[in-house]
Amino acid sequence: MGLMGDKARLLETRRLVGAPGDGSDQDDRDPSSHGSGEGSSSDTDCAAEAVDLELETARRRAAESGDPASLSMLGALLLRRGDLDGAERHLRAATAEGDRSAANNLGVLLHQRGYADEAATWWRVAAVAGSAPAAHSLGRYHRERGDEPAAEYWLRQSAESGHALGAYALADLLEHRSDVGAERWFRSAAERGHREAAYRLARILDGRAPSATALSGGLAAGLGPTTGARHVSAGGGDTSVRDLRAAAAGRRGQDGPAGEAEQWYRQAAARGHRRAALHLGTLLEGRGETQEAARWYLTSAKDGEPRAACALGFLLRDAGDCDSAAIWWRRAAQEGDGNAANALGALHADRGEPQQAERWYRAALDAGDVNGAYNLALLCAEQGRTAQAEQWYRRAAYAGHKEAANALAVLLLQGGDSAGAEPWFSKAAEAGSVDAAFNLGILYAGRDEDRMAFQWYERAAVAGHTDAALQVAMVLLRDGGAENTEAAERHLRVAVRGGSAEAAFRLGALLDREDETRFECEEWYERAARQGHRRAQVRLGMLVAERGDVVGAAHWYREAAEAGSRNGAFNLGLLLAREGSEPEAAMWWARAAEAGHGRAALRLALLAARRGGLAEGQMWCARAVELGPPEVAERAARLQEALQQELTA
């Protein structure tokens, strides 16, 4: 008798051995094991035992009549309950009568008993007769043995028959070979409810979406991340929470690949896939939907995903709840998440608890997170333990940590070892450290190697380094030329966006040269002035004075003068003198003259002469002659001679 059609249904039976090519963690694996029964559903496992007993009784009665379908069903029920001996007897009987479901399930049973080759024989019988589950199992069997052509043939037979597990296994095989056809079959399996396929499809689509990276600023104020540097709380692995959150931050739209990826993440997460829930959380957080992101992080974390616990901790910290954040970080860190351990260390460091910070940094290092060594170095540097800091910087730098290499170079340079610092700066810069590129510029500038200095400054400036952009602009302005001036303006605007007061002042001065751009210069002078830039305060005072705003001019001159600007003090004196406040004007001129302002000294000399203070006038004249400039010195000399004649008359 020929093989019969599918008349019996069997629950999918989880395979008891590993499944190469599954592409999923043990606790995320769908029931995609060898020998899954045809047309089965794991939801049937929820049927009450009483109902199963009734069904079994009825099927035993039918089996007595020798009906192959009933024998097959009875064998399936016994297989599900673990009665392998009873199941085998009935399945073999049904198989002998040509029932293909029985042949497939007999393969399942034999595979569970460790007879993989005999199992494959029966799967082949069933697959040839059109069983998609058997073709899936047979394809997996061949893949385990390294026979990929045979594996692809049978998996494709299963997938093209609409079998979700076959489609997933085929996609996994194709993706392993970097075959673009994998996406089609992941999609096919996902559309049939396969959660791991939905997750893998989402990852493919997610990889097509643009990602964001951030570059941080440099070492302008002194040399250093070794002093006052912030401890790093996220690690550098490819699948770290830091990387996931950073990439998600650049995918704010819900259209295109990112939007479709989110749909599949949702499908997989809703079916209990913890990594899908994690990725969904990062996408939502990147769009600013933090409440929903937190719910998915929590779901994933409760299912045992340490990265989700770590991400939830960051979300809570950003909301100001550091105590709750610490609970989740500790949970993730105890499961070996280096990111979370670093976050805990940074938290304790911020709280002034260095021993606890060191404990967690070491835990991060033990978990393979090189940031643990970098943070230990920062901690030691803050405590003045320079030798230990150098040791940890070296360890992190040798492991490829670019900022550790830069910090090590800074430490060596501070110790006078510029020869030892240079290769570490170079290594860090070549690895992408913008700070290191800027510091190389400082190093070469200190050696008067201007061409090399400019090259490294320019490299850092292109990457957005504020102080490097300022240095490049200053060189271009010094060299002159219309083209250089335009380029200098672009770099100054970059530096201004980075918060540089000096760049704002120089941009204002550049725009102040031309009538058509002068209207804009006041904006930049004011920005620099509000940041305490004394020269900008003086220039701004002059601009508002030209408009007749005496109060505004006096304010900015006074700000500059009180901060030590001799020009601010001189101009404030002029303003006060015009307003009739000569005594106060004299006070500010005296301050300016004592700071080396020749014109202020001349003003004081004239004021003294007018009041009849000939000796005082001569003293200020001598000071003005000494300070200059030439035209001031010439006038002061003539006045001094006249005062001398009057004294001796």
Side-chain angles (χ1 to χ4, degrees), residues 152 446 609:
E152 181 179 352

Side-chain angles (χ1 to χ4, degrees), residues 226-571:
T226 56
T227 55
R230 181 168 183 150
H231 290 231
V232 178
S233 59
D238 290 341
T239 57
S240 70
V241 168
R242 180 193 63 185
D243 294 330
L244 293 177
R245 296 172 89 218
R251 298 194 290 269
R252 299 184 183 277
Q254 299 184 47
D255 300 326
E260 190 180 358
E262 181 180 338
Q263 295 173 15
W264 291 112
Y265 281 139
R266 283 188 181 278
Q267 177 172 309
R271 294 174 64 86
H273 196 293
R274 70 187 192 189
R275 288 173 296 150
L278 167 65
H279 284 273
L280 178 58
T282 61
L283 287 178
L284 293 166
E285 184 184 356
R287 288 209 304 267
E289 299 175 30
T290 54
Q291 288 188 338
E292 188 179 359
R295 288 198 297 272
W296 286 111
Y297 285 150
L298 181 60
T299 297
S300 180
K302 286 182 174 179
D303 285 341
E305 176 55 66
R307 292 175 300 169
C310 182
L312 181 59
F314 284 121
L315 210 57
L316 290 166
R317 181 205 61 184
D318 293 345
D321 189 355
C322 289
D323 291 337
S324 296
I327 292 172
W328 287 104
W329 282 335
R330 185 172 290 107
R331 178 170 173 173
Q334 288 171 345
E335 293 180 25
D337 189 285
N339 299 291
N342 268 317
L344 273 175
L347 183 63
H348 285 293
D350 290 342
R351 290 175 174 175
E353 299 167 351
Q355 290 183 333
Q356 287 296 316
E358 183 170 343
R359 170 198 167 194
W360 287 110
Y361 290 152
R362 288 182 180 274
L365 190 57
D366 290 342
D369 191 332
V370 69
N371 273 312
Y374 178 61
N375 285 332
L376 281 167
L378 292 176
L379 195 65
C380 291
E382 289 168 1
Q383 296 171 341
R385 296 153 57 194
T386 306
Q388 291 92 329
E390 181 179 341
Q391 169 194 345
W392 290 116
Y393 281 139
R394 283 189 184 276
R395 179 164 178 177
Y398 277 119
H401 195 294
K402 62 186 180 183
E403 296 309 334
N406 177 58
L408 174 60
V410 169
L411 201 63
L412 293 170
L413 193 60
Q414 288 174 334
D417 185 5
S418 62
E422 183 177 348
W424 285 112
F425 277 140
S426 296
K427 183 175 182 179
E430 294 297 342
S433 170
V434 183
D435 293 343
F438 176 66
N439 288 340
L440 272 174
I442 294 176
L443 191 67
Y444 284 115
R447 297 174 180 171
D448 294 326
E449 297 182 39
D450 294 339
R451 186 179 62 82
M452 290 296 296
F454 182 79
Q455 287 179 4
W456 285 107
Y457 283 146
E458 189 171 38
R459 181 166 174 173
V462 168
H465 193 287
T466 298
D467 295 312
L470 175 60
Q471 292 295 325
V472 170
M474 290 168 62
V475 172
L476 293 170
L477 288 173
R478 184 191 64 203
D479 292 345
E483 186 176 340
N484 283 347
T485 300
E486 290 179 7
E489 182 179 341
R490 290 196 300 272
H491 283 292
L492 286 173
R493 291 184 184 277
V494 169
V496 168
R497 286 196 294 272
S500 170
E502 180 66 23
F505 167 71
R506 289 181 179 271
L507 179 58
L510 182 62
L511 297 171
D512 206 357
R513 297 176 182 178
E514 305 292 339
D515 291 338
E516 60 268 23
T517 58
R518 200 175 183 202
F519 71 94
E520 188 186 351
C521 71
E522 185 174 335
E523 172 190 347
W524 303 114
Y525 283 147
E526 184 172 0
R527 179 178 294 196
R530 293 189 182 282
Q531 292 178 255
H533 194 287
R534 294 182 302 178
R535 293 172 67 192
Q537 290 167 341
V538 173
R539 289 283 188 95
L540 184 59
M542 294 169 65
L543 285 179
V544 298
E546 287 176 7
R547 295 203 305 267
D549 183 358
V550 176
V551 175
H555 166 76
W556 288 115
Y557 288 151
R558 193 178 299 275
E559 287 282 322
E562 290 178 347
S565 168
R566 62 189 185 185
N567 285 330
F570 175 70
N571 287 357

Side-chain angles (χ1 to χ4, degrees), residues 625-648:
V625 169
E626 177 188 348
L627 295 174
E631 65 272 17
V632 170
E634 184 180 346
R635 286 186 61 193
R638 290 199 302 268
L639 178 60
Q640 187 178 28
E641 184 179 349
L643 291 175
Q644 180 64 33
Q645 290 175 356
E646 192 167 338
L647 277 170
T648 58

